[in-house]
Coordinates of all heavy atoms in Angstrom, one line a residue:
Y1 N 0.8 -1.2 -0.1 CA 0.1 0.1 -0.1 C 0.9 1.2 0.0 O 2.0 1.2 0.6 CB -0.9 0.1 1.3 CG -1.9 -1.1 1.1 CD1 -1.7 -2.4 1.8 CD2 -3.1 -0.8 0.4 CE1 -2.7 -3.4 1.8 CE2 -4.1 -1.9 0.3 CZ -3.8 -3.1 1.0 OH -4.8 -4.1 0.9
K2 N 0.3 2.3 -0.6 CA 1.2 3.5 -0.8 C 1.2 4.3 0.7 O 0.2 4.3 1.4 CB 0.4 4.5 -1.7 CG 1.2 5.9 -2.1 CD 0.5 6.6 -3.2 CE 1.2 7.8 -3.5 NZ 2.4 7.6 -4.0
F3 N 2.4 4.7 0.9 CA 2.7 5.4 2.2 C 2.3 6.9 2.0 O 2.5 7.5 1.1 CB 4.0 5.3 2.7 CG 4.5 6.0 3.9 CD1 4.2 5.5 5.0 CD2 4.9 7.2 3.8 CE1 4.5 6.2 6.4 CE2 5.3 8.1 5.0 CZ 5.0 7.5 6.1
R4 N 1.7 7.4 3.1 CA 1.6 8.9 3.3 C 2.0 9.3 4.7 O 1.7 8.6 5.6 CB 0.2 9.3 2.9 CG -0.9 8.9 4.0 CD -2.3 9.4 3.6 NE -3.2 8.9 4.5 CZ -3.9 7.7 4.5 NH1 -3.6 7.0 3.6 NH2 -4.8 7.5 5.5
P5 N 2.6 10.4 4.8 CA 3.1 10.9 6.2 C 1.9 10.8 7.2 O 0.8 11.3 6.7 CB 3.6 12.4 5.8 CG 4.0 12.4 4.5 CD 3.0 11.4 3.8
G6 N 2.1 10.5 8.3 CA 1.1 10.5 9.4 C 0.4 9.2 9.4 O -0.6 9.1 10.3
L7 N 0.8 8.1 8.6 CA -0.1 6.9 8.5 C 0.2 6.2 9.9 O 1.3 6.0 10.3 CB 0.4 6.2 7.3 CG -0.4 4.9 7.0 CD1 -1.8 5.2 6.6 CD2 0.3 4.0 5.9
T8 N -1.0 5.6 10.4 CA -0.9 4.9 11.6 C -1.2 3.4 11.3 O -1.7 3.1 10.3 CB -1.8 5.5 12.7 OG1 -3.2 5.2 12.2 CG2 -1.7 6.9 12.9
V9 N -1.0 2.6 12.3 CA -1.3 1.1 12.3 C -2.8 0.9 11.9 O -3.0 0.0 11.2 CB -0.7 0.4 13.5 CG1 -1.3 -1.1 13.5 CG2 0.7 0.4 13.5
L10 N -3.6 1.6 12.6 CA -5.1 1.4 12.4 C -5.5 1.8 11.1 O -6.4 1.1 10.5 CB -5.8 2.3 13.5 CG -7.4 2.1 13.5 CD1 -7.7 0.7 13.8 CD2 -8.0 3.1 14.5
Q11 N -4.8 2.9 10.5 CA -5.2 3.3 9.1 C -4.6 2.1 8.2 O -5.4 2.0 7.2 CB -4.5 4.7 8.8 CG -5.3 5.8 9.6 CD -4.4 7.1 9.4 OE1 -3.2 7.1 9.1 NE2 -5.1 8.3 9.6
S12 N -3.6 1.6 8.4 CA -3.2 0.6 7.4 C -4.1 -0.7 7.5 O -4.3 -1.3 6.6 CB -1.7 0.2 7.9 OG -1.7 -0.6 9.1
L13 N -4.7 -0.9 8.8 CA -5.7 -2.1 8.8 C -6.8 -1.6 8.0 O -7.4 -2.5 7.3 CB -6.1 -2.2 10.3 CG -7.1 -3.1 10.6 CD1 -6.7 -4.5 10.1 CD2 -7.5 -3.2 12.0
A14 N -7.3 -0.3 8.1 CA -8.4 0.0 7.2 C -8.1 0.0 5.7 O -9.0 -0.5 5.0 CB -8.8 1.3 7.5
M15 N -6.9 0.4 5.3 CA -6.5 0.2 3.9 C -6.5 -1.2 3.5 O -6.9 -1.4 2.2 CB -5.1 0.9 3.7 CG -5.0 2.3 4.0 SD -3.3 3.0 4.3 CE -2.7 2.6 2.5
S16 N -6.2 -2.1 4.3 CA -6.2 -3.5 3.8 C -7.5 -4.3 4.0 O -7.6 -5.5 3.9 CB -5.2 -4.3 4.6 OG -5.5 -4.3 6.0
G17 N -8.6 -3.6 4.3 CA -9.9 -4.1 4.2 C -10.4 -4.6 5.6 O -11.4 -5.1 5.8
G18 N -9.7 -4.3 6.8 CA -10.1 -4.8 8.0 C -9.6 -6.1 8.3 O -9.0 -6.8 7.5
P19 N -10.0 -6.6 9.5 CA -9.6 -7.9 10.0 C -10.3 -8.9 9.1 O -11.3 -8.7 8.4 CB -10.3 -8.0 11.4 CG -10.5 -6.6 11.8 CD -10.7 -5.9 10.6
F20 N -9.5 -10.0 8.9 CA -10.0 -11.2 8.0 C -11.4 -11.9 8.5 O -11.5 -12.1 9.7 CB -8.8 -12.1 7.9 CG -9.3 -13.5 7.4 CD1 -9.3 -13.6 5.9 CD2 -9.7 -14.6 8.0 CE1 -9.6 -14.6 5.3 CE2 -10.0 -15.7 7.4 CZ -10.1 -15.8 6.1
R21 N -12.2 -12.1 7.6 CA -13.4 -12.9 7.9 C -13.5 -13.9 6.8 O -13.2 -13.6 5.6 CB -14.6 -11.9 7.8 CG -14.7 -10.8 8.8 CD -14.8 -11.4 10.2 NE -15.0 -10.4 11.2 CZ -13.9 -9.9 11.9 NH1 -12.7 -10.3 11.7 NH2 -14.1 -8.9 12.8
E22 N -13.8 -15.0 7.3 CA -13.7 -16.2 6.3 C -14.7 -16.1 5.2 O -14.3 -16.5 4.1 CB -14.1 -17.5 7.1 CG -13.9 -18.8 6.3 CD -14.3 -20.0 7.1 OE1 -14.5 -19.8 8.3 OE2 -14.3 -21.1 6.5
K23 N -15.8 -15.5 5.4 CA -16.8 -15.5 4.3 C -16.4 -14.4 3.3 O -16.8 -14.5 2.2 CB -18.1 -15.2 4.8 CG -18.2 -13.9 5.6 CD -19.7 -13.7 6.1 CE -19.7 -12.2 6.9 NZ -21.2 -12.1 7.4
S24 N -15.6 -13.5 3.7 CA -15.2 -12.3 2.8 C -13.9 -12.7 2.1 O -13.5 -12.0 1.2 CB -15.0 -11.0 3.5 OG -14.1 -11.1 4.5

């Protein structure tokens, strides 16, 4: 994923679609 200044771990989680769910 593309980096931008000020990026946090939580924002990286949102960029990657959130926690894994088996059905998704």
